[in-house]
Amino acid sequence: MFSAFGIGLPSLGPDDVSVMQNLVKDYCLTKEIELDSEEGRDVARELLKWFQIGVTDKSRLQELLASRT
């Protein structure tokens, strides 16, 4: 309903999904986190949340992941 008024969450296209998967994989590899662990899923959820609030630039998403504690 909100998207009819230009309000709503940005859509994830195939390229976005690929970028986000790669970002999560790279982050988990660097931090020695199992992808299929709770922490790995938390990273993916956090990344998706940033995307949904409008952070769609790959470099910015990488910066946010790097600053994650």
Side-chain angles (χ1 to χ4, degrees):
M1 176 175 151
F2 289 110
S3 62
F5 300 103
I7 302 171
L9 303 176
S11 298
L12 277 170
D15 291 338
D16 298 321
V17 172
S18 178
V19 166
M20 292 179 61
Q21 286 175 329
N22 288 330
L23 287 172
V24 171
K25 285 178 191 175
D26 291 346
Y27 178 84
C28 287
L29 181 64
T30 301
K31 298 292 184 178
E32 299 180 349
I33 299 168
E34 291 291 325
L35 275 174
D36 196 26
S37 67
E38 188 60 35
E39 189 174 1
R41 288 186 291 274
D42 286 344
V43 170
R45 281 189 288 267
E46 194 168 346
L47 189 63
L48 181 59
K49 182 174 69 173
W50 290 327
F51 186 90
Q52 289 176 329
I53 63 170
V55 182
T56 57
D57 179 70
K58 179 182 175 181
S59 297
R60 182 64 182 132
L61 290 168
Q62 285 174 312
E63 290 172 5
L64 288 168
L65 281 176
S67 69
R68 188 175 186 273
T69 56

